[in-house]
Amino acid sequence: MLNPLSINCLVLALLCTWALCNAQSDSDSPKIQLRLAGEKRKHYEGRVEVLYDGEWGTVCDDDFSIYAAQVVCRELGFMDAVSWLPSAKYGRGEGRIWLDNLHCTGSEKSLAQCESNGFGVSDCKHSEDVGVVCSQKRIPGFKFIRNQGLNVQVEDVRIRATYSNRKRIPITEGFVEVKDGGKWRQICSEEWTQMNSRVICGMYGFPDEKNINIRPYKLLAKRRKKNYWGFSVNCTGNEADLSDCKLGREIELRGNNTCRKGMPTVVSCMPGRGFAPSVSIGFRKAYRVEQPLVRLRGGALIGEGRVEVLKNGEWGTVCDDKWNIRAATVVCRELGFGSAKEALSGAKMGQGIGSVHMNEVECSGFEKSLTECHFNRDSVGCSHEEDAAVKCNVPAMGFNTRLRLSGGRNPSEGRVEVLAERNGSLVWGTVCSDSWGTMEAMVVCRQLGLGFANHAFQETWYWQGDSSSQAVVMSGVRCSGTEMTLDQCLHHGKHVICPNGGGRFAAGVSCTLTAPDLVLSAQVVEQTTYLEDRPLYALQCAQEERCLSTTSDNADPTSYRRLLRFSSQIHNNGLSDFRPRASPHSWVWHECHRHYHSMEVFTYYDLLSLNGTKVAEGHKASFCLEDTYCDEGIQKRYECANFGSQGITVGCWDTYRHDIDCQWIDITDVKPGDYILQVVINPNYEVAESDYTNNVMKCRSRYDGHRIWTYNCHIGETNALRTHFLLILSTQEPHQG
């Protein structure tokens, strides 16, 4: 029998042997490098490519697993893998297929340590190239594998402003520093290029770089202790992130003698007009906004949305075929943002309307506008389910530091509190709820990065908030909905006027990352318009609901009313259901028609003269919001019968037929002539939507006294009336803060 000493010696020997074997297996593993390539939309995703024996190749998807994806992502410096994608989802690679039938446990330090058929042994084709999606978060203290040709992997990058510029918002220039091993290091300027600066500026939300006076930075650098990074960088200018750039040559670190022919790299960025550090005074009347060719719609946050382009006076969408991060970056820079964080496909920001103007867009990355890129004008086979969208890098403006929500049940709701200057110091206070509505709440939610408004509250007694912030510091707030911050909206400035005071009447909001988007079918209106003469005695219910003109009040019951009838089909193109704001207990029962009204006014129907004067009107209280029909594969959720829940599901539409009460405009007193038929959905912005610009439809109409012709129906620019109203107010109330 072995004694205890012998047993200990044996265990120690076995442990040593195991450690030696593992050390040998690690050292014996082939040295490889990895990169993410292909037709990708984010810098942390792509086709897995392996550099082995001096040649880049791909990995086959046979037996690939999430554990293998985790090894790939960690080897590239990311915390974890989100998913993996087979069948060349990021495009087919070229050259050798280095690895096939990979079996990883997830604990390997390198993909080379996973079991496989061996390097170069594969029966796959490039149609089976595998891709991965990594988490955005990088491994703290991640070390570079310092070899030529490897993508740069950095913990963090920053533009470090000089002391005189640190209070400037946004920070547009300063020393470029990378974080390596937990320490910030400068980059030697000897081989720094304009293309490198372009990438850095794009990452920080700026569309372009500009020349800079180096002299003051040179003098400053001489007085500072330098800590250089050991590499130069080689970017093409189209990379979405510095980590996508190639490494240049390795820099020999020699203390103060490092980078003797250069200095720490400095960049200066050109901010988009909406993010300028200081705003010129007096430009408002003189400055004329040019008609943009590209715009974003339906996005929850600043710098994101569905891409729409203007062609022959009509806005249309872009098909996501071949849509990638390079094309998305062209859009972002064109609109005054930085490079793109994501190129989104599959109508991730909701479906657009009208034509699909561009398909198979291919950009070099240096175009001034998306319209300069090569594209296929033939969009056959592209539907709005394939609408392309973007998320752009936006400058750090500190918007969320000037505003907060207090007292809510979660971070996305509460009483609105703003930081205002009073008696020479900054204090937190509330906002007067007079005139407070959905548009104002939209601006608050966007400013805080919380998405869309879900509700705007004019009473917040149930949210106590901060007891030291009870005073009203902002009143008379009126927003058009396009502002980036609440203080950009019209308001009373320092002279607060709030008759009801703050307290329980302070303004509040609740926010959400998704919202509905109602769109009326212009084609259905145009195809169903007609005239009907009906006796007044047969319209008693409609008269009670105020669906006739006021002249009907004193008219003979045997007289006839002339009704302009049409059907309306309202589709929910958004990302969440359209629900009435009022809860069921407050819905109003109408005995005459035997239905509940869940909204006081759901649509306005108006007949306008050619100069915009209203000559006849109708309105559509919500007979009942329900799913009349749905797109294929979508289940109806809302039905009015038996006091059912009301709403319109995403992908469904509510149809009001031309032959039901109030689905008309009373034109009994209208003279023959040319007019504009206008329909406005959700006219009081009672329910928040992701896009109000498609809530108005206009048609040309000709009435000869007997017949009516309706033509050229189109979805108009929606906020025009509200914006015009606010512009008039702006001339009356010049102070905004």
Side-chain angles (χ1 to χ4, degrees):
M1 180 178 284
L2 292 172
N3 59 41
L5 183 60
S6 301
I7 292 173
N8 286 338
C9 289
L10 182 60
V11 170
L12 187 60
L14 288 170
L15 286 171
C16 289
T17 304
W18 176 82
L20 183 60
C21 289
N22 271 297
Q24 286 174 342
S25 65
D26 282 357
S27 61
D28 291 344
S29 299
K31 296 298 180 186
I32 64 169
Q33 297 172 22
L34 301 181
R35 69 182 180 190
L36 300 180
E39 300 166 6
K40 55 184 187 171
R41 294 180 166 90
K42 309 162 194 169
H43 68 273
Y44 46 87
E45 68 173 357
R47 180 176 62 245
V48 179
E49 294 196 349
V50 179
L51 180 64
Y52 174 72
D53 199 20
E55 182 183 348
W56 284 103
T58 63
V59 177
C60 182
D61 59 17
D62 290 352
D63 295 336
F64 201 86
S65 67
I66 191 65
Y67 302 112
Q70 289 169 352
V71 174
V72 169
C73 292
R74 284 200 296 271
E75 193 167 356
L76 287 169
F78 298 101
M79 288 286 284
D80 203 356
V82 175
S83 63
W84 64 277
L85 300 98
S87 306
K89 288 294 192 299
Y90 294 103
R92 301 183 182 192
E94 297 177 348
R96 305 281 293 276
I97 297 176
W98 279 127
L99 293 168
D100 187 10
N101 295 114
L102 268 172
H103 292 273
C104 303
T105 65
S107 61
E108 294 86 354
K109 293 181 180 178
S110 170
L111 205 63
Q113 295 174 7
C114 298
E115 290 183 20
S116 70
N117 293 346
F119 279 87
V121 181
S122 173
D123 58 358
C124 296
K125 297 178 181 178
H126 281 298
S127 59
E128 300 170 83
D129 286 344
V130 77
V132 299
V133 179
C134 302
S135 64
Q136 296 185 52
K137 195 171 182 182
R138 294 200 173 275
I139 297 172
F142 177 75
K143 285 293 197 179
F144 308 100
I145 303 171
R146 303 191 167 187
N147 286 328
Q148 294 287 345
L150 183 66
N151 284 5
V152 177
Q153 302 292 337
V154 291
E155 293 170 50
D156 204 355
V157 185
R158 72 179 181 185
I159 300 174
R160 186 185 181 195
T162 57
Y163 292 113
S164 58
N165 286 330
R166 281 187 185 168
K167 291 186 178 179
R168 201 178 189 197
I169 297 175
I171 293 173
T172 57
E173 69 176 48
F175 293 105
V176 179
E177 297 184 339
V178 297
K179 199 172 188 181
D180 178 12
K183 293 183 179 179
W184 289 103
R185 305 178 192 275
Q186 299 84 42
I187 300 177
C188 178
S189 66
E190 287 177 7
E191 298 177 20
W192 189 262
T193 66
Q194 186 182 1
M195 293 298 100
N196 296 347
S197 295
R198 176 181 166 87
V199 172
I200 294 291
C201 290
M203 287 173 61
Y204 280 89
F206 305 115
D208 216 341
E209 77 291 341
K210 63 179 181 179
N211 293 328
I212 186 172
N213 179 11
I214 293 294
R215 288 188 63 188
Y217 287 95
K218 207 166 191 175
L219 293 170
L220 188 61
K222 283 182 179 178
R223 299 197 298 268
R224 282 185 175 175
K225 183 179 179 182
K226 291 174 279 296
N227 181 18
Y228 282 107
W229 186 46
F231 286 95
S232 60
V233 184
N234 184 15
C235 302
T236 66
N238 278 325
E239 294 84 356
D241 193 275
L242 188 67
S243 62
D244 291 328
C245 297
K246 300 287 190 231
L247 284 179
R249 69 179 180 88
E250 191 165 357
I251 303 295
E252 188 180 348
L253 301 177
R254 297 181 295 173
N256 290 336
N257 291 323
T258 306
C259 195
R260 291 188 66 182
K261 296 180 182 178
M263 58 174 281
T265 294
V266 176
V267 298
S268 182
C269 304
M270 182 81 73
R273 188 175 181 277
F275 303 98
S278 56
V279 180
S280 301
I281 296 173
F283 72 84
R284 187 193 304 168
K285 292 183 180 178
Y287 183 78
R288 186 170 147 221
V289 179
E290 294 182 11
Q291 175 67 59
L293 296 176
V294 177
R295 69 183 184 183
L296 301 182
R297 285 290 181 268
L301 305 174
I302 299 168
E304 66 178 45
R306 179 178 60 253
V307 180
E308 297 186 352
V309 294
L310 186 65
K311 178 184 176 184
N312 299 329
E314 179 197 0
W315 286 101
T317 61
V318 177
C319 187
D320 63 12
D321 292 350
K322 295 188 177 179
W323 186 248
N324 60 22
I325 199 81
R326 188 172 291 188
T329 290
V330 171
V331 170
C332 291
R333 292 187 190 273
E334 177 180 2
L335 294 174
F337 305 113
S339 52
K341 289 191 288 190
E342 273 185 71
L344 300 167
S345 59
K348 291 289 195 310
M349 296 288 180
Q351 296 183 29
I353 58 175
S355 302
V356 179
H357 285 334
M358 301 176 78
N359 184 22
E360 297 177 346
V361 179
E362 294 182 80
C363 304
S364 70
F366 292 100
E367 293 87 355
K368 294 294 183 185
S369 171
L370 187 71
T371 57
E372 297 175 10
C373 299
H374 294 289
F375 64 94
N376 185 353
R377 288 175 171 79
D378 183 4
S379 56
V380 174
C382 279
S383 68
H384 286 301
E385 293 177 354
E386 300 170 86
D387 284 345
V390 297
K391 287 186 178 182
C392 306
N393 284 312
V394 178
M397 300 294 293
F399 289 154
N400 58 343
T401 62
R402 309 176 205 170
L403 196 70
R404 69 187 184 189
L405 301 184
S406 183
R409 294 162 297 180
N410 58 64
S412 294
E413 68 174 21
R415 187 178 76 183
V416 179
E417 296 179 357
V418 297
L419 195 60
E421 186 179 341
R422 290 292 180 270
N423 300 322
S425 59
L426 291 173
V427 296
W428 286 99
T430 61
V431 178
C432 183
S433 64
D434 288 356
S435 76
W436 187 258
T438 301
M439 285 299 186
E440 291 70 36
M442 280 284 201
V443 175
V444 168
C445 293
R446 188 186 305 119
Q447 182 176 349
L448 290 170
L450 297 174
F452 304 107
N454 200 20
H455 289 301
F457 299 95
Q458 293 188 331
E459 287 191 36
T460 53
W461 53 268
Y462 36 80
W463 290 332
Q464 293 304 313
D466 192 325
S467 59
S468 64
S469 309
Q470 296 293 334
V472 178
V473 296
M474 196 175 194
S475 64
V477 182
R478 278 168 290 194
C479 305
S480 69
T482 60
E483 299 87 354
M484 288 190 282
T485 64
L486 198 64
D487 57 8
Q488 288 177 359
C489 299
L490 294 170
H491 60 278
H492 289 150
K494 295 181 180 178
H495 305 289
V496 174
I497 305 169
C498 191
N500 292 326
R504 63 175 293 181
F505 295 106
V509 300
S510 65
C511 307
T512 177
L513 287 175
T514 59
D517 181 21
L518 297 188
V519 182
L520 179 73
S521 171
Q523 184 180 11
V524 169
V525 172
E526 188 168 328
Q527 292 174 348
T528 57
T529 309
Y530 67 99
L531 294 180
E532 181 191 20
D533 291 336
R534 269 192 111 179
L536 183 58
Y537 64 75
L539 298 170
Q540 185 178 354
C541 283
Q543 192 171 18
E544 288 179 13
E545 293 187 15
R546 313 306 299 167
C547 295
L548 300 175
S549 66
T550 53
T551 58
S552 67
D553 295 342
N554 301 315
D556 187 328
T558 61
S559 65
Y560 280 74
R561 307 304 296 181
R562 177 155 289 180
L563 308 175
L564 170 57
R565 285 186 174 272
F566 51 88
S567 297
S568 61
Q569 178 179 299
I570 300 165
H571 197 273
N572 184 358
N573 278 1
L575 298 176
S576 63
D577 296 351
F578 184 94
R579 300 293 308 277
R581 180 181 175 183
S583 55
H585 74 271
S586 62
W587 295 352
V588 179
W589 173 258
H590 282 250
E591 182 65 32
C592 192
H593 285 130
R594 309 290 296 174
H595 59 250
Y596 280 96
H597 282 192
S598 59
M599 294 175 67
E600 185 178 347
V601 176
F602 180 48
T603 52
Y604 281 147
Y605 302 151
D606 296 313
L607 197 67
L608 312 174
S609 67
L610 296 183
N611 66 9
T613 305
K614 190 183 298 183
V615 296
E617 64 180 349
H619 79 277
K620 182 66 177 176
S622 169
F623 268 11
C624 175
L625 291 171
E626 68 176 2
D627 297 328
T628 311
Y629 301 101
C630 293
D631 294 334
E632 187 177 349
I634 297 176
Q635 287 288 113
K636 295 181 182 180
R637 297 183 59 189
Y638 303 104
E639 189 175 7
C640 297
N642 302 319
F643 195 46
S645 59
Q646 293 193 26
I648 307 175
T649 304
V650 174
C652 298
W653 59 91
D654 193 359
T655 299
Y656 296 100
R657 286 173 50 87
H658 55 82
D659 54 359
I660 64 175
D661 265 4
C662 295
Q663 190 58 40
W664 63 57
I665 300 176
D666 183 353
I667 64 166
T668 306
D669 308 309
V670 173
K671 296 177 181 178
D674 289 315
Y675 298 97
I676 296 171
L677 168 62
Q678 177 176 278
V679 179
V680 185
I681 309 169
N682 192 15
N684 300 329
Y685 311 105
E686 191 175 327
V687 177
E689 297 184 46
S690 61
D691 186 2
Y692 287 109
T693 65
N694 52 21
N695 280 30
V696 171
M697 187 223 65
K698 294 183 180 180
C699 304
R700 291 295 302 271
S701 293
R702 174 163 289 183
Y703 175 48
D704 68 357
H706 306 285
R707 293 169 298 174
I708 196 161
W709 292 266
T710 303
Y711 57 98
N712 287 352
C713 292
H714 65 279
I715 303 299
E717 288 300 312
T718 61
N719 274 355
L721 292 175
R722 184 180 177 92
T723 304
H724 178 67
F725 170 69
L726 289 172
L727 285 174
I728 293 172
L729 288 175
S730 69
T731 61
Q732 298 171 349
E733 300 181 40
H735 52 274
Q736 296 188 351

